[in-house]
Amino acid sequence: METVKPKKTKIKTLLTIVLVIAIIWGSIINTQISLSTLIQGLPNIVDLIKEMFPPDWSYFGSITNQMLETIRMAVLGTTFGGIIAIPFALLSSSNVVKIPVVYQVFRFIMNLIRTIPELLLAALFVPVFGIGELPGILAIAVFSFGIIAKLFYEAIEAIDPGPLEAMTAVGANKIQWIFFGVIPQVIAHYMSFFLYSFEINIRAAAILGYVGAGGIGLVLNNALGFFQYDRVLTIIIYTLIVVVIVDAISNKLREKLL
């Protein structure tokens, strides 16, 4: 018996490797990836990079307001999405809601929302609310809701059931059960998920301007349209600086929470 199991394991491993290779190879063929086309395009990439240097440093002052718009969009969108995610996460947790139909419906809604990317959400909101920050904020809020609610309900389902059983034994109602038994165990995780979502949204908000949702993305789209590649590099550097600062602050906060 001991010699059979290793053989079965080797066969499964081999079949898995063959399957992965077949999927990758099939994807390469169907997407018509050509190594020769890539090699031929390399000189164009080099020329584009040359046109970007040196960056237009004087352009920093002109795009500060747009960068602040981007940060505001990420802050408001993440906040609204995070708040809405709390009740949805609770209603999606099988150890909080004991009725399978209820938590399965809420999980389905979360899965449905997570399938829609931010850029598409912004493109849908722009015709409704017009060009500006509001469509971007709403798109980020919906996207943040999907991420935070998913991670949060998984954290809720992994909590220690001991305190909950003790509260039930002394006659605590459902509201007390949630506020004093569930929330204290997951609040640090929730803040970590919130900060993680905010980091993602800073990057995402930078490209929502492509569909008219405001922020630095709108300026970037204009610079690319007018072939002002030195300004494009300036925008990229500015965005990188903001992202690095936000990541550093977020990491420090997460370290203190967890």
Side-chain angles (χ1 to χ4, degrees):
M1 292 296 291
E2 292 180 359
T3 58
V4 174
K5 286 184 178 179
K7 286 183 179 179
K8 287 184 177 180
T9 303
K10 288 181 180 179
I11 292 172
K12 287 181 179 179
T13 303
L14 182 61
L15 289 173
T16 302
I17 294 171
V18 170
L19 179 62
V20 170
I21 292 173
I23 292 172
I24 294 172
W25 182 252
S27 300
I28 291 172
I29 293 173
N30 285 285
T31 52
Q32 299 180 350
I33 292 177
S34 172
L35 185 60
S36 60
T37 304
L38 178 63
I39 293 172
Q40 290 173 6
L42 287 177
N44 295 330
I45 295 174
V46 173
D47 291 339
L48 179 61
I49 293 173
K50 286 180 179 178
E51 290 184 36
M52 286 184 170
F53 287 91
D56 184 0
W57 298 113
S58 63
Y59 196 52
F60 263 88
S62 303
I63 58 175
T64 298
N65 287 335
Q66 286 78 10
M67 182 58 71
L68 291 175
E69 282 183 14
T70 300
I71 296 172
R72 287 196 298 266
M73 286 164 56
V75 169
L76 293 174
T78 308
T79 301
F80 294 149
I83 291 171
I84 299 170
I86 295 173
F88 262 79
L90 290 168
L91 292 168
S92 301
S93 305
S94 58
N95 57 342
V96 175
V97 178
K98 304 297 184 180
I99 306 172
V101 175
V102 175
Y103 65 74
Q104 289 293 352
V105 167
F106 279 94
R107 289 182 187 182
F108 174 77
I109 293 171
M110 286 193 300
N111 291 332
L112 181 63
I113 290 174
R114 282 203 314 279
T115 60
I116 308 174
E118 280 176 307
L119 200 59
L120 178 56
L121 288 169
L124 294 173
F125 287 135
V126 166
V128 178
F129 299 102
I131 295 174
E133 295 179 49
L134 182 58
I137 292 169
L138 293 175
I140 292 171
V142 175
F143 182 76
S144 300
F145 160 77
I147 294 177
I148 297 173
K150 167 69 173 177
L151 296 173
F152 193 33
Y153 101 75
E154 290 179 348
I156 292 172
E157 291 198 327
I159 63 176
D160 181 9
L164 306 181
E165 293 171 358
M167 291 186 68
T168 303
V170 297
N173 60 41
K174 199 69 172 180
I175 301 298
Q176 293 171 329
W177 196 74
I178 291 173
F179 274 93
F180 300 106
V182 177
I183 299 299
Q185 294 191 63
V186 293
I187 187 65
H189 293 286
Y190 171 80
M191 292 306 301
S192 177
F193 302 148
F194 182 91
L195 292 170
Y196 171 69
S197 181
F198 178 64
E199 291 174 23
I200 295 174
N201 289 333
I202 285 288
R203 299 175 179 87
I207 62 169
L208 293 183
Y210 275 92
V211 293
I216 198 69
L218 189 60
V219 180
L220 178 61
N221 189 29
N222 292 336
L224 285 169
F226 288 104
F227 306 106
Q228 297 169 324
Y229 295 116
D230 56 339
R231 292 189 172 186
V232 170
L233 182 58
T234 304
I235 295 169
I236 292 171
I237 293 171
Y238 204 157
T239 305
L240 176 63
I241 292 170
V242 171
V243 168
V244 169
I245 292 172
V246 169
D247 283 353
I249 295 172
S250 180
N251 288 335
K252 289 293 182 182
L253 290 173
R254 279 206 301 270
E255 287 174 6
K256 292 182 179 180
L257 288 169
L258 298 177

